[in-house]
């Protein structure tokens, strides 16, 4: 499975942004997909995930209410809508996919990151 993330950029605090992650290859093996982020000088952390079959979503507590994860199975694409961006959202955002139940911890597949920079 290959994952291609896109949609990052330089935005201002309070803006909204939508990230995309397109999956290709053996996508039939995917059980769940998700987003992680790594802020400068910090460890990578789980942000959000979605079940590929039933659309059930999971969020890190600190992003609930501002982040919305969604998917388009027909396009094998996952999205992350981020509203009311804050400077602390500045990070490299990575998409991930898993064939089991480890999407929030150690997913099987990683995409390249897309940088989101939030200016005040």
């Amino acid at each position: 499975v290959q994952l291609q993330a896109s949609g990052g950029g330089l935005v201002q605090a309070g803006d909204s942004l939508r990230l995309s992650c397109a999956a290709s290859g053996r996508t039939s093996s995917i059980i769940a997909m998700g987003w992680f982020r790594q802020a400068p000088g910090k460890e990578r952390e789980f942000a959000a995930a979605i079940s590929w079959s039933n659309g059930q979503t999971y969020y890190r507590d600190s992003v609930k209410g501002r982040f919305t994860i969604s998917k388009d199975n027909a396009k094998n694409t996952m999205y992350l809508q981020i509203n009311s961006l804050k400077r602390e959202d500045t990070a490299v955002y990575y998409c991930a996919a898993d064939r089991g139940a480890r999407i929030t911890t150690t997913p099987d597949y990683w995409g390249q990151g897309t940088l989101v920079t939030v200016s005040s």
Side-chain angles (χ1 to χ4, degrees):
V1 173
Q2 293 78 46
L3 304 173
Q4 180 71 42
S6 62
L10 175 63
V11 295
Q12 291 189 331
D15 285 352
S16 297
L17 194 67
R18 189 176 82 157
L19 307 180
S20 300
C21 177
S24 61
R26 197 174 177 182
T27 57
S28 61
S29 65
I30 296 174
I31 298 298
M33 292 184 69
W35 292 94
F36 286 70
R37 64 182 183 178
Q38 186 168 18
K42 296 186 178 180
E43 293 188 354
R44 187 158 54 187
E45 65 181 19
F46 165 75
I50 187 165
S51 168
W52 210 241
S53 59
N54 63 17
Q56 186 172 0
T57 57
Y58 311 86
Y59 295 96
R60 180 180 196 82
D61 285 346
S62 61
V63 306
K64 288 179 180 178
R66 296 193 302 116
F67 285 29
T68 302
I69 190 169
S70 61
K71 63 183 177 70
D72 184 333
N73 289 65
K75 296 181 179 180
N76 288 325
T77 300
M78 170 183 65
Y79 305 97
L80 184 67
Q81 177 72 33
I82 308 175
N83 296 328
S84 302
L85 278 153
K86 303 176 181 180
R87 289 196 65 183
E88 51 262 43
D89 293 321
T90 294
V92 177
Y93 285 73
Y94 297 91
C95 61
D98 194 64
R99 295 170 294 176
R102 299 168 300 174
I103 190 60
T104 64
T105 54
T106 53
D108 292 318
Y109 306 104
W110 291 94
Q112 93 295 355
T114 186
L115 176 62
V116 174
T117 303
V118 183
S119 64
S120 58

